[in-house]
Amino acid sequence: FDEPLATIKRLHVDVSVLSLLGGTLDADVRVEQPRVAFAKDASGRSNTDGLFGEEPRQDDATAPEPPVEAPKAEEEPADMKLRLEIVDGHVRATLPSAKQPEELRDLDVLASMSGDGALALRLTAQAVGAAAEGGDAELEIDVAVSAAHEGPVKIEIPAIDLSRLAGIVEGASGVKGLRGRFQLSADGRLEGEGRMTGRARAQADGLALWMPDGLRIAAQKISAQADVAESEDKTTGKVAVRVEHIALLAEDGEDVRRFREPLVELALVGHHDAPTGTLVVQTGRLAAGQAITATASKPWEIRTGDEPSAKGELVVQADLARLTNLRSFVPALESIRAGRIGARVVAEAQE
């Protein structure tokens, strides 16, 4: 490849020596005009090959015994105050199948973190030509969380065409074949103890990607909405998630798991220390290839809180002739070549 994977015009690191001697890492890092260039040629070779690969495996007989380490005395973690600034960053991916490179430009990051868990992040960038309706997409993330996990959260990602960022995502994470349409908007506040108030909307259409381990994930539609408010003594609101036609496929293309038109709704009402949740699953169907299917013939309703309960009905069917993989693990099934079995699971329990 003709150009390096990454370059930096200027890097400045400022560390407080006095604080370091006192056991506190206090540092400022400023990175000016970093340039990252992912590239792939017509043969499929990329300039990131080896970054996401596994270490070569050794036979058990020849693998050396791991060294035995003496137990270490527990040390108090050093305090930390770290500030990072990235100015005018640029990420590009060049693919042989693309007419023009993918670009993420005007990348500015201002982040700070400390040993007590406080975190602040401000990120803005422009995804060139990635807007779903055409043109550039402006991305924004703004988070400021205290040590008590409290603070504002704002994320704005307009509708984008994920295929216009597929090369950048693959180069940075190893995830391949990304496509679909995605958008996310969140404006809320973390309230500590895992609680969050505010509004959030997210949607993905025609999503598909290959994980580095060879598993492919595809979904026709995923949408989520949250609208949660908090008063003096309770949290109220609703979180709704809808998933349509999700499939997980093995590397060889075999359909290993598939959902058909499930609808999941989650409503939260209750006090801070005892929230009550209701999970409702409508018309869900799970299939493992063509061998096993499980269908929610009646909606499932699961309640959590002071009086947890569950009710619903599930019908499971198996085509024994297609359980080839299972037969290889269970010798008792080797002689079974045909037939079907079925079961109906009915739950209506309350504690």
Side-chain angles (χ1 to χ4, degrees), residues 213-255:
D213 59 3
L215 181 68
R216 185 188 183 208
I217 302 174
Q220 179 175 318
K221 183 176 183 179
I222 302 176
S223 62
Q225 298 184 25
D227 192 346
V228 181
E230 185 174 87
S231 60
E232 292 184 359
D233 61 347
K234 65 179 181 179
T235 301
T236 60
K238 182 176 182 180
V239 178
V241 180
R242 182 178 180 86
V243 183
E244 298 180 8
H245 297 275
I246 276 192
L248 305 182
L249 310 176
E251 191 169 12
D252 58 5
E254 179 186 359
D255 186 350

Side-chain angles (χ1 to χ4, degrees), residues 42-53:
S43 68
R45 187 174 63 96
S46 75
N47 62 350
T48 59
D49 286 346
L51 291 180
F52 306 102

Side-chain angles (χ1 to χ4, degrees), residues 85-170:
E85 185 177 9
I86 298 176
V87 181
D88 192 21
H90 187 276
V91 183
R92 187 176 77 254
T94 304
L95 306 177
S97 59
K99 296 181 180 179
Q100 58 186 12
E102 301 170 6
E103 290 186 86
L104 194 65
R105 67 187 180 195
D106 298 335
L107 174 63
D108 294 320
V109 177
L110 187 60
S112 65
M113 60 192 75
S114 60
D116 60 6
L119 170 67
L121 172 64
R122 166 75 175 170
L123 181 150
T124 58
Q126 184 181 75
V128 179
E133 305 300 333
D136 303 334
E138 304 291 339
L139 314 180
E140 179 185 355
I141 299 176
D142 197 351
V143 179
V145 181
S146 68
H149 303 114
E150 299 176 348
V153 175
K154 183 177 181 180
I155 303 175
E156 289 294 337
I157 301 177
I160 58 175
D161 181 355
L162 294 176
S163 66
R164 290 291 300 131
L165 298 174
I168 293 176
V169 172
E170 180 179 346

Side-chain angles (χ1 to χ4, degrees), residues 28-346:
D28 289 273
V29 180
R30 179 182 172 90
V31 184
E32 296 181 5
Q33 295 185 12
R35 300 291 185 260
V36 179
F38 300 114
K40 178 182 287 189
D41 59 23
S43 68
R45 187 174 63 96
S46 75
N47 62 350
T48 59
D49 286 346
L51 291 180
F52 306 102
E54 297 181 353
E55 293 293 330
R57 297 184 62 180
Q58 294 177 297
D59 295 335
D60 294 338
T62 61
E65 291 291 331
V68 178
E69 298 182 358
K72 297 180 180 180
E74 293 187 2
E75 299 180 357
E76 290 293 330
D79 195 7
M80 176 186 66
K81 296 178 181 179
L82 178 62
R83 291 164 294 279
L84 170 66
E85 185 177 9
I86 298 176
V87 181
D88 192 21
H90 187 276
V91 183
R92 187 176 77 254
T94 304
L95 306 177
S97 59
K99 296 181 180 179
Q100 58 186 12
E102 301 170 6
E103 290 186 86
L104 194 65
R105 67 187 180 195
D106 298 335
L107 174 63
D108 294 320
V109 177
L110 187 60
S112 65
M113 60 192 75
S114 60
D116 60 6
L119 170 67
L121 172 64
R122 166 75 175 170
L123 181 150
T124 58
Q126 184 181 75
V128 179
E133 305 300 333
D136 303 334
E138 304 291 339
L139 314 180
E140 179 185 355
I141 299 176
D142 197 351
V143 179
V145 181
S146 68
H149 303 114
E150 299 176 348
V153 175
K154 183 177 181 180
I155 303 175
E156 289 294 337
I157 301 177
I160 58 175
D161 181 355
L162 294 176
S163 66
R164 290 291 300 131
L165 298 174
I168 293 176
V169 172
E170 180 179 346
S173 66
V175 174
K176 301 180 180 180
L178 182 66
R179 63 177 175 82
R181 174 178 171 142
F182 175 77
Q183 65 184 98
L184 169 63
S185 176
D187 191 354
R189 180 180 175 83
L190 293 176
E191 303 293 349
E193 301 180 356
R195 304 191 313 275
M196 181 174 179
T197 58
R199 297 182 177 182
R201 304 286 186 273
Q203 183 165 321
D205 298 283
L207 180 67
L209 55 91
W210 285 100
M211 299 298 291
D213 59 3
L215 181 68
R216 185 188 183 208
I217 302 174
Q220 179 175 318
K221 183 176 183 179
I222 302 176
S223 62
Q225 298 184 25
D227 192 346
V228 181
E230 185 174 87
S231 60
E232 292 184 359
D233 61 347
K234 65 179 181 179
T235 301
T236 60
K238 182 176 182 180
V239 178
V241 180
R242 182 178 180 86
V243 183
E244 298 180 8
H245 297 275
I246 276 192
L248 305 182
L249 310 176
E251 191 169 12
D252 58 5
E254 179 186 359
D255 186 350
V256 293
R257 192 179 303 170
R258 181 180 294 275
F259 292 89
R260 292 291 189 183
E261 297 182 357
L263 171 62
V264 181
E265 291 186 354
L266 178 64
L268 294 175
V269 178
H271 297 278
H272 297 326
D273 56 348
T276 299
T278 302
L279 176 66
V280 180
V281 182
Q282 302 270 11
T283 63
R285 180 177 181 271
L286 169 65
Q290 298 179 348
I292 302 176
T293 61
T295 306
S297 53
K298 291 184 180 180
W300 280 76
E301 183 176 294
I302 304 172
R303 293 180 178 272
T304 61
D306 294 335
E307 298 181 354
S309 64
K311 64 179 181 179
E313 186 173 290
L314 186 70
V315 176
V316 182
Q317 293 182 329
D319 186 342
L320 302 181
R322 297 182 181 274
L323 293 176
T324 55
N325 293 333
L326 186 59
R327 286 206 301 267
S328 64
F329 292 101
V330 184
L333 299 178
E334 273 295 326
S335 60
I336 300 177
R337 299 299 175 189
R340 284 180 171 272
I341 59 175
R344 184 182 300 271
V345 180
V346 180

